[in-house]
Amino acid sequence: MEESPLHPFELHNYFPINLGGLDISINKAVLIMWVVVALVAVLMVRAGSARKLVPGKLQILAEMLVDFIRGIILDTMGEGGMKFFPLIATLFLFILFCNLIGLIPGSYTVTSQIVVTAVFATVVYGLSLVMGFVLHGVKFLGILVPPGTPGWLLPLMVPIELISQLARPISLAVRLFANMTAGHVILGVLFGLAISGGLVIGWLPFAFTIAMNGLEVGIAFIQAYIFTVLTCVYLGDAFHLHGHDEHAH
Amino acid sequence: MPPPQDQFYAGLGQAVRIGTELLASLIVGGGLGWVIDAYLLGSTPWGLVVGLILGVAAGVRNAYRAAQRWQNSSDKPGQR
C-alpha cells in the first residue's frame, strides 16, 4: 500500500500518437494544459465582452489581473515595454492557472514538469537575445561589460557576466519547477502519513495537508508573479542596454 | 490575488528570487568549468575550481544587481 510521493508526477499516455517517430501522445499534462488555455480564454473573453462602466464581478477580476500585469511591466520596463503586454499577460495567466489548477486534488500540475518551465524560460531568454541583437547590433555584446568597469578588470568581469547571463534561463526554469514539485512532494508525503496513521494519529498530518494547500495557493501566485517580473526584467535589459537608470520608468 | 504593486509582495518576490539565482550561477559556473576540463583542455581539476569561483562571483553579482534595481524602483514612489 506504500505509495511513492513522486507517484503523482508520473504521466501515462491516454491516446498514443506517433507522428514520424515523434511522440505526441495525449497525456494528463496535455489535457490539463488544454483545460487551462480554455479556462483563461473563456474567462478573459467573457469578462471583456461586457465592457460595462459599472463592472460586474467577472469584469472586476479581469480588470484587476490586467492592471496587475500592466503595473509589473511599467515598473520594470517603462512605457516602451507595453508592446510586450500580450506575451507577458499570456505567460502570467497561463502559469498562474496551471499552478492553481494543480492544487485541485486529482488534477495535474503542469509546471512541475521541467520540460514545460524550460520551454518558457528558453523562449523568454531567446526572445531577449534576439531583440537585443536586432535593436543594438553587435553593441549588444556590451551587456557582458558592466558600465564603469576599468579595463584591467575585463578578463575577470566578462566571464562572470557571461556566467550570470547563462544562469538566467536556468534559474528561471528551475525556480518554478522546483517550487511546484517540492510543494506537491510535501503534500504527497503528508497525505501518505495521514493514510498510514489511520484515525488514531492520522488527523494530524491531514490537518497539515490542508494548511500546506493554503500555503501552496500563495506560492502559486508568488511563483507566477516572479516568473513574470523576471521575464520583464530580462526583456527590459535587452531593450535598454545599460540605459536603465536614465530611462524614465 | 495580491493587491497590485503592494510593496510587501514585491519585496517577497525579490527575497524568494535571490536564493535560486545564487544556486543557478554556481551550477552554470561549475558546469562550464567541468566541460572545459573534461572535453576541451583536459585540465582537471583547475577548470572546475576556477568555474566554481567565477560562478559564486556571478551569483553575488546577480544578487547585488537585484538589490540595485530594487533600490532604483523604490526611489520613485510617485511613478509606481
Side-chain angles (χ1 to χ4, degrees):
Chain A
M1 264 305 281
E2 293 296 299
E3 235 186 26
S4 154
L6 294 178
H7 174 79
F9 298 107
E10 288 170 12
L11 283 172
H12 304 285
N13 291 343
Y14 291 161
F15 313 103
I17 305 173
N18 208 316
L19 203 77
L22 200 66
D23 186 17
I24 52 165
S25 311
I26 310 296
N27 55 30
K28 206 170 181 180
V30 179
L31 278 183
I32 295 284
M33 277 197 255
W34 285 346
V35 170
V36 168
V37 169
L39 203 67
V40 172
V42 167
L43 173 77
M44 293 318 261
V45 168
R46 276 206 51 190
S49 59
R51 301 197 186 200
K52 293 197 195 97
L53 196 58
V54 182
K57 280 187 191 134
L58 208 60
Q59 198 181 341
I60 289 182
L61 179 70
E63 280 178 8
M64 263 177 71
L65 285 171
V66 168
D67 195 51
F68 182 70
I69 301 162
R70 187 174 163 273
I72 297 176
I73 297 178
L74 288 183
D75 255 12
T76 48
M77 296 166 80
E79 206 53 63
M82 283 308 282
K83 54 169 102 82
F84 296 104
F85 185 86
L87 171 78
I88 289 162
T90 311
L91 260 181
F92 177 75
L93 291 174
F94 187 77
I95 294 174
L96 178 64
F97 277 77
C98 280
N99 292 351
L100 287 178
I101 274 195
L103 286 174
I104 300 169
S107 76
Y108 190 84
T109 321
V110 182
T111 41
S112 70
Q113 291 287 324
I114 201 167
V115 194
V116 176
T117 60
V119 167
F120 288 163
T122 314
V123 167
V124 165
Y125 193 67
L127 179 68
S128 85
L129 285 186
V130 169
M131 196 175 68
F133 278 114
V134 166
L135 281 179
H136 306 285
V138 191
K139 263 200 284 179
F140 184 62
L141 286 175
I143 203 168
L144 294 177
V145 184
T149 312
W152 56 273
L153 262 181
L154 280 185
L156 185 64
M157 285 315 278
V158 170
I160 289 179
E161 286 294 315
L162 189 68
I163 290 173
S164 89
Q165 284 289 326
L166 288 177
R168 283 179 166 190
I170 291 180
S171 69
L172 205 54
V174 168
R175 180 182 302 109
L176 182 58
F177 148 77
N179 272 286
M180 287 300 134
T181 308
H184 286 262
V185 168
I186 292 174
L187 280 175
V189 169
L190 283 174
F191 205 75
L193 285 177
I195 287 174
S196 54
L199 275 179
V200 187
I201 194 69
W203 55 272
L204 188 63
F206 186 70
F208 273 109
T209 58
I210 296 173
M212 268 306 289
N213 225 16
L215 182 69
E216 284 293 311
V217 172
I219 290 180
F221 274 111
I222 288 176
Q223 289 305 321
Y225 170 70
I226 294 177
F227 199 99
T228 319
V229 168
L230 287 180
T231 301
C232 294
V233 167
Y234 297 162
L235 289 178
D237 273 358
F239 203 54
H240 299 313
L241 189 61
H242 303 327
H244 201 271
D245 290 340
E246 59 239 77
H247 195 93
H249 67 144
Chain B
M1 188 77 229
Q5 274 61 61
D6 189 312
Q7 287 283 331
F8 176 73
Y9 283 98
L12 197 60
Q14 293 289 329
V16 176
R17 164 187 163 192
I18 287 173
T20 0
E21 214 110 292
L22 288 172
L23 187 69
S25 304
L26 196 62
I27 292 172
V28 171
L32 277 182
W34 181 79
V35 167
I36 288 174
D37 268 352
Y39 297 102
L40 297 178
L41 300 180
S43 53
T44 324
W46 296 109
L48 186 61
V49 171
V50 174
L52 281 176
I53 293 173
L54 287 179
V56 174
V60 175
R61 167 95 188 118
N62 265 343
Y64 180 74
R65 193 184 292 148
Q68 258 181 339
R69 196 187 303 276
W70 180 231
Q71 184 189 24
N72 284 340
S73 65
S74 56
D75 275 350
K76 301 164 189 145
Q79 284 162 322
R80 294 180 73 82

